[in-house]
Amino acid sequence: RPSPDAASPVCSQAVNRMLHAAASLMLADDTSLALKWMAGLYAFALASRLLGSTGLFFLLFVCAFTLPKGYEQKKEEVDQAAAMLLSKAKELSAVAVAKLGELRKAPTKPAAGTKEGKAE
């Protein structure tokens, strides 16, 4: 039987990693990770609104038991579709990052009521 002292470093490391990831997400250190979480939480909220909480959890329960079996049977097709979806998502992400870069470089208009706006 393992002693509680042996499990303590493993548990504390796991808790520290989890807290570090949560702090990193909360502070948006990695923008792409924060955006993925935002999209996932939005999708979860939308599905919950459409299906209700009971319907959503029933759907998650059914998927938990049917999707692994379906993946085993159609592994190549699923992997191809996932690769295509991932490449398309990367393309869209690159376009969005490029547009954001253009917006950051765009000159800003001075606010009215300032010396640069000359409306004093």
Side-chain angles (χ1 to χ4, degrees), residues 109-120:
K109 294 181 182 177
T114 62
K115 288 184 180 180
E116 293 84 13
K118 297 190 180 18
E120 291 185 357

Side-chain angles (χ1 to χ4, degrees), residues 45-66:
L46 185 62
S48 181
R49 184 176 180 191
L50 292 174
L51 301 173
S53 58
T54 305
L56 179 66
F57 287 117
F58 178 74
L59 181 65
L60 291 175
F61 178 80
V62 169
C63 288
F65 290 102
T66 57

Side-chain angles (χ1 to χ4, degrees), residues 70-111:
Y71 178 73
E72 286 178 7
Q73 292 177 350
K74 304 272 185 179
K75 188 173 183 173
E76 287 90 22
E77 291 92 345
V78 171
D79 288 342
Q80 288 174 352
M84 186 174 65
L85 183 65
L86 187 62
S87 67
K88 187 66 173 175
K90 284 183 181 180
E91 289 174 17
L92 292 174
S93 175
V95 169
V97 167
K99 289 191 180 205
L100 284 174
E102 291 173 8
L103 289 176
R104 287 183 183 162
K105 293 177 185 176
T108 57
K109 294 181 182 177

Side-chain angles (χ1 to χ4, degrees), residues 2-19:
S3 69
D5 294 335
S8 180
V10 174
C11 291
S12 65
Q13 288 175 354
V15 169
N16 284 338
R17 280 195 307 264
M18 183 181 65
L19 290 174

Side-chain angles (χ1 to χ4, degrees), residues 4-36:
D5 294 335
S8 180
V10 174
C11 291
S12 65
Q13 288 175 354
V15 169
N16 284 338
R17 280 195 307 264
M18 183 181 65
L19 290 174
H20 178 70
S24 176
L25 184 61
M26 185 175 66
L27 297 172
D29 287 339
D30 184 7
T31 308
S32 65
L33 179 65
L35 290 174
K36 288 176 187 176

